Amino acid sequence: ALLDDEPCRALSIALLDGYAAQYLDYPHRDNVLGPSRPFFSTYLESIWVLQLCIALDLLEMHAPSAELGPLGARVRDRLIAPSAALIASYDEGTSNRQVWNAAALMAAGRLLDDAALVERATFGRSGLLVLLRDGLLGDGSWYEGENYHLFAHRGLWYGVQMAERRGVRLPADLGERFDAGFIAPFRTLLPDLTYPSRRDSPYAVSVRQPRFAESCELGLAR
């Protein structure tokens, strides 16, 4: 989309078309944390289908209609709609994983023109606003600790971006808490620039990783 690269567009279309053709044939078994077809847990499917929603949205905005053909309808019908139904069936309350479920449902709802699904993912009992209110502490940190914070806050970023693009105004205190979340993990770094290994977090995770740099860039851009 950014480079007007026709071969990349063609490959993206082929990949989306392939997933749409095969998704419903993937086995729905051996699930560890909730239902999923391509993975072993619902939150992984949420992360995956969120990216596919973004890909389809970009293609529909930038690719010539002759290249797309009936792709959009096929992906919505055979991939996004059934995946969203599966994700919506497994509510994880205020878990860090539910953050990604909510973001995926917001994206799917927008592409499916399903206002009720978007509303539920934004304002429902485990939607974006509840996750911001109950998941983030006063200093902007996620209640489950640094390791989960970095994962959950990235998912919240998607949700906040989509909500604000729809014209949803976050309550001022929640907006401030979310913004503080970009900084929160750095307040508790150990002298060797690793994160504390609270709860079941891995030991000695270094801050010097591209994924943490990305979070800083998003915070600065915001």
Side-chain angles (χ1 to χ4, degrees):
L2 292 176
L3 301 176
D4 192 26
D5 189 317
E6 185 177 349
C8 282
R9 285 202 307 270
L11 179 56
S12 299
I13 290 167
L15 289 168
L16 282 171
D17 210 14
Y19 281 134
Q22 298 181 62
Y23 175 78
L24 291 172
D25 293 328
Y26 289 154
H28 182 3
R29 61 169 183 258
D30 299 329
N31 304 133
V32 178
L33 289 168
S36 175
R37 290 184 181 276
F39 304 100
F40 60 82
S41 296
T42 309
Y43 78 98
L44 294 173
E45 178 151 346
S46 293
I47 294 170
W48 177 74
V49 80
L50 170 61
Q51 307 308 318
L52 297 184
C53 286
I54 292 169
L56 180 60
D57 190 42
L58 282 168
L59 284 169
E60 290 186 329
M61 285 192 296
H62 297 287
S65 57
E67 290 182 18
L68 284 176
L71 176 77
R74 194 157 54 240
V75 172
R76 283 171 171 82
D77 181 58
R78 294 186 54 82
L79 172 57
I80 295 174
S83 179
L86 184 149
I87 293 165
S89 73
Y90 190 66
D91 191 317
E92 294 211 66
T94 54
S95 164
N96 61 88
R97 298 183 297 272
Q98 180 63 24
V99 171
W100 290 93
N101 295 346
L105 293 176
M106 289 175 73
R110 292 294 299 276
L111 281 182
L112 297 171
D113 198 23
D114 186 336
L117 184 59
V118 176
E119 191 79 1
R120 168 185 168 177
T122 309
F123 302 106
R125 64 180 183 179
S126 301
L128 174 67
L129 264 64
V130 169
L131 292 162
L132 288 167
R133 186 192 69 213
D134 296 347
L136 293 177
L137 304 177
D139 66 351
S141 61
W142 185 258
Y143 76 98
E144 293 175 284
E146 290 87 353
N147 183 54
Y148 291 110
H149 172 90
L150 293 158
F151 178 70
H153 196 265
R154 188 68 174 89
L156 290 173
W157 179 87
Y158 280 105
V160 168
Q161 291 291 315
M162 287 185 280
E164 290 181 341
R165 293 299 186 277
R166 284 181 57 225
V168 174
R169 292 178 61 88
L170 296 180
D173 60 326
L174 296 187
E176 291 170 6
R177 220 181 290 183
F178 171 71
D179 290 342
F182 289 103
I183 304 166
F186 299 104
R187 294 199 176 104
T188 53
L189 279 179
L190 300 175
D192 64 352
L193 298 184
T194 63
Y195 293 105
S197 53
R198 306 182 203 271
R199 297 169 63 96
D200 60 347
S201 301
Y203 177 70
V205 173
S206 173
V207 70
R208 294 175 174 174
Q209 296 185 45
R211 61 192 175 115
F212 304 143
E214 180 190 53
S215 175
C216 294
E217 293 286 357
L218 294 173
L220 288 169
R222 185 171 174 82

